Amino acid sequence: MSDARTPAQIEADIISRREQLAVVLDEIGVRVHPDTIMGDVKAKAVEALDRTAGRAFVAVNRTVSDVKAQFVAEDGTPRMERVIPAALFAVGVVGLVVASKRRRKG
């Protein structure tokens, strides 16, 4: 049994490898094209933003739920022992801001 190839086999092998190389070069050209690179960067940025926004939403939602739990009982009724002091504090802060602005103008 001889491993010698005929010129036709060698030529067919060269043509086949040339076609494979052309496909690989086309793939490389697509991968390094600026539009492809920008598309990949944009997709990664959007993914990171979505992930960050999702985490922020969960954190804010958890905080709002925690604050709400401080002022509303489990049965849904307001906890007046906590609502009244918080409301008085808010009114006091607003009063101080208004008084401060009046002093600056006057």
Side-chain angles (χ1 to χ4, degrees), residues 3 5 16 20 23 35-36 38 40-41 51 56-58 61 66 76 80 82 84 99:
D3 285 338
R5 299 184 309 165
S16 172
Q20 290 172 353
V23 169
D35 289 341
T36 303
M38 285 304 297
D40 291 346
V41 169
R51 188 172 43 250
F57 176 79
V58 168
N61 194 23
D66 291 346
M80 297 311 283
R82 292 187 179 174
I84 292 172

Side-chain angles (χ1 to χ4, degrees), residues 65-104:
S65 295
D66 291 346
V67 170
K68 181 181 175 186
Q70 297 297 317
F71 295 100
V72 178
E74 289 182 17
D75 63 357
T77 60
R79 293 182 172 181
M80 297 311 283
E81 72 277 4
R82 292 187 179 174
V83 171
I84 292 172
L88 291 174
F89 177 77
V91 168
V93 169
V94 169
L96 288 174
V97 169
V98 169
S100 173
K101 287 189 177 193
R102 285 187 180 171
R103 285 186 195 153
R104 288 184 192 167

Side-chain angles (χ1 to χ4, degrees), residues 28-39:
I28 290 172
V30 169
R31 289 180 187 174
V32 299
H33 193 276
D35 289 341
T36 303
I37 293 171
M38 285 304 297

